[in-house]
Amino acid sequence: MNAYRAKPLSFPWPPLIYGTAALIALVLTRVYPIPVMNGQSWIPWLVGGALILSAIFLDLWAVKALLDRHTAVLPHRCATCLVTSGPFRFTRNPIYLGYTLVMTGAGLMTLNPWFFIMAVLAVAVTTLFAVRNEERHLLSRFGFEFERYCRHTTRWI
């Protein structure tokens, strides 16, 4: 199969990666809790909630941008066009950024530092196993147009 027809991923790994990271954070909290000063303040809960709401908005905005251009939303499907509008103007991976914001928001709301650690690991694993493959796919499909997009838009933030 040529690179033009190849799928970026064989399975939609990123949601599984982030879900696994969240479960590991919960397990590690029980096994190796990290003490956190808790002043019974509502500020971490409020900021965490705002991050989660922002993540939901970002993900919905990204899905709408993909659907508006009639291209694949799922990461294991072939892209039919390069989307550079909506949140894709600011980041090449707004949906994965949304997942990361959810992990961070959950860490703040629960005062669980393992969520922050696992969010960083999830970003690294997602970049290695999903983002790089997706970028190779987009480069093979859209060539110079994708290269130009990459020069003007950051991968994450």
Side-chain angles (χ1 to χ4, degrees):
M1 180 180 293
N2 68 26
Y4 187 74
R5 292 176 179 242
K7 293 185 204 179
L9 301 171
S10 59
F11 184 80
W13 294 110
L16 184 64
I17 291 168
Y18 279 90
T20 302
L23 287 174
I24 291 171
L26 292 172
V27 168
L28 286 173
T29 299
R30 304 280 276 179
V31 178
Y32 301 109
I34 299 174
V36 176
M37 285 185 45
N38 184 2
Q40 301 299 327
S41 174
W42 51 269
I43 294 174
W45 195 90
L46 185 65
V47 173
L51 284 175
I52 291 172
L53 288 176
S54 298
I56 293 168
F57 172 77
L58 182 64
D59 284 353
L60 291 175
W61 188 21
V63 168
K64 181 185 180 320
L66 293 169
L67 292 175
D68 286 349
R69 296 293 308 267
H70 305 288
T71 193
V73 174
L74 297 175
H76 65 291
R77 307 270 189 206
C78 293
T80 56
C81 70
L82 181 63
V83 178
T84 60
S85 59
F88 293 94
R89 288 178 293 179
F90 310 109
T91 176
R92 296 194 310 252
N93 297 290
I95 295 173
Y96 304 156
L97 179 59
Y99 295 165
T100 306
L101 292 174
V102 167
M103 292 277 293
T104 305
L108 285 170
M109 290 181 80
T110 61
L111 295 175
N112 182 349
W114 285 112
F115 274 97
F116 306 119
I117 295 165
M118 294 311 298
V120 171
L121 288 174
V123 166
V125 171
T126 300
T127 300
L128 287 173
F129 294 106
V131 172
R132 288 186 178 174
N133 288 332
E134 291 173 9
E135 288 178 347
R136 273 194 298 276
H137 167 73
L138 293 172
L139 183 61
S140 72
R141 301 269 304 178
F142 306 109
F144 179 71
E145 185 181 0
F146 181 68
E147 287 178 352
R148 182 177 35 201
Y149 172 64
C150 288
R151 280 195 301 269
H152 294 36
T153 310
T154 62
R155 182 180 278 163
W156 287 95
I157 50 174

